[in-house]
Amino acid sequence: MLPSFLQDLFKDQSYNPDHFFLIAGPCVVENEELVMEVAHKVSSICKRLEVPYVFKASYRKANRTSANSFTGIGDDNGLSLIKKVGEAFNLPTTSDIHAHEEAAMAAPFIDILQIPAFLCRQTDLLVAAAETGKIVNVKKGQFLSGPSMKFAADKIKKAGNEKVMLTERGNTFGYTDLVVDYRNITWMKEIGVPVIMDCTHSLQQPNQTSGVTGGNPQLIGTVASAAIATGADGLFIETHPDPSCALSDGANMLRLDLLEGLLEKLVKLRKAVV
């Protein structure tokens, strides 16, 4: 059963309460056509499968390998388009924030403030996000264990906000790879908050000498299935109509036309393990 703050978030959607929820969308706001296409397709699939859905896109990508990498179309434009998507399809929305002053700026446009993994220990950022009253989703740092994320959750709760979620996204393995320790899902659920599996960023291959992060998107289904089997409450999947042309994280996004078949399988798996 979803906690009350997520039940409120999904109050305008018809969904099966035994299903996982989905956070999905393109890595970054590239243009209006892209975000509208993805939101339309994913919301239609989720409505049919009775999966509660949050639209995701970053209004700005602050963490990039190269100084030449695309970062966004401007904060105001990006946030405005995310809000437009939410209103057009009656969906809750989420995006990353990167500094404490961004929390109050982004909060009027989105429903969930997402804290990037590299910033999950930044106390001023967590507190500022908490003080907006919005749901705060903190991604577990690639350098942290699941149990250690209780301290991030505690910072938000001590700031007066009980609406906390945690996201597993793998741990650094060597210099150019990540691995997922599924014990972290169980351990973070013991903290008493919803736990999400980031099925795309956990398959990144960072620190490439080309200056562009690599990935293994062919394993998204494997990661998602294992997460459902180990009790994840939600899944995070970045998706794009043509990842090869995406302006950010194309190497690890799921091609949009593959999402429906994957979700159908995952809904069946969820039914078997609940």
Side-chain angles (χ1 to χ4, degrees):
M1 180 68 68
L2 296 174
S4 58
F5 68 84
L6 285 181
Q7 292 180 43
D8 290 342
L9 184 73
F10 297 125
K11 65 181 184 300
D12 294 326
Q13 298 185 40
S14 296
Y15 64 89
N16 186 326
D18 291 328
H19 286 174
F20 57 89
F21 62 92
L22 177 69
I23 299 175
C27 178
V28 65
V29 176
E30 299 178 13
N31 53 59
E32 182 171 352
E33 181 182 7
L34 172 68
V35 295
M36 289 295 180
E37 177 184 357
V38 173
H40 173 69
K41 178 68 173 179
V42 181
S43 61
S44 297
I45 295 169
C46 288
K47 183 177 181 179
R48 181 177 69 81
L49 296 176
E50 298 183 307
V51 172
Y53 172 47
V54 178
F55 174 80
K56 181 270 168 186
S58 295
Y59 65 88
R60 171 158 44 102
K61 295 298 293 184
N63 177 25
R64 304 309 313 274
T65 302
S66 169
N68 297 321
S69 298
F70 178 77
T71 59
I73 60 174
D75 292 354
D76 289 343
N77 290 334
L79 284 167
S80 294
L81 280 178
I82 294 171
K83 184 176 183 179
K84 186 173 183 178
V85 166
E87 292 173 344
F89 298 97
N90 201 24
L91 295 171
T93 59
T94 186
S95 190
D96 307 90
I97 60 172
H98 317 89
H100 67 275
E101 62 269 17
E102 290 183 35
M105 176 188 75
F109 296 89
I110 58 180
D111 300 285
I112 303 172
L113 299 177
Q114 181 172 283
I115 308 300
F118 282 123
L119 300 176
C120 68
R121 287 168 51 93
Q122 296 297 109
T123 301
D124 61 345
L125 177 58
L126 295 173
V127 171
E131 289 176 343
T132 67
K134 297 286 184 172
I135 299 170
V136 184
N137 176 27
V138 188
K139 288 195 172 185
K140 181 182 72 62
Q142 301 92 320
F143 42 87
L144 292 176
S145 69
S148 68
M149 288 300 291
K150 74 176 292 293
F151 300 107
D154 285 347
K155 290 176 183 179
I156 295 166
K157 291 179 179 181
K158 288 179 179 178
N161 189 337
E162 295 288 328
K163 297 181 288 187
V164 186
M165 304 191 295
L166 299 176
T167 295
E168 166 63 29
R169 54 98 76 228
N171 283 85
T172 299
F173 183 73
Y175 291 107
T176 59
D177 213 348
L178 295 167
V179 293
V180 178
D181 180 352
Y182 287 92
R183 295 177 300 174
N184 285 326
I185 292 177
T186 299
W187 285 331
M188 288 195 291
K189 284 176 69 70
E190 290 174 355
I191 297 170
V193 300
V195 175
I196 301 157
M197 180 71 227
D198 184 339
C199 303
T200 42
H201 291 98
S202 60
L203 291 167
Q204 284 182 327
Q205 293 180 311
N207 302 316
Q208 301 295 315
T209 56
S210 64
V212 178
T213 297
N216 288 296
Q218 70 276 12
L219 295 175
I220 290 172
T222 302
V223 170
S225 297
I228 293 297
T230 39
D233 301 292
L235 299 177
F236 177 107
I237 300 176
E238 288 190 339
T239 184
H240 193 285
D242 185 358
S244 67
C245 296
L247 299 181
S248 177
D249 276 1
N252 52 270
M253 276 197 281
L254 182 69
R255 206 172 71 225
L256 184 58
D257 63 358
L258 299 177
L259 181 64
E260 185 167 16
L262 174 60
L263 290 179
E264 288 174 345
K265 293 177 183 178
L266 294 174
V267 165
K268 292 177 182 177
L269 178 59
R270 176 74 168 194
K271 183 178 180 179
V273 299
V274 167

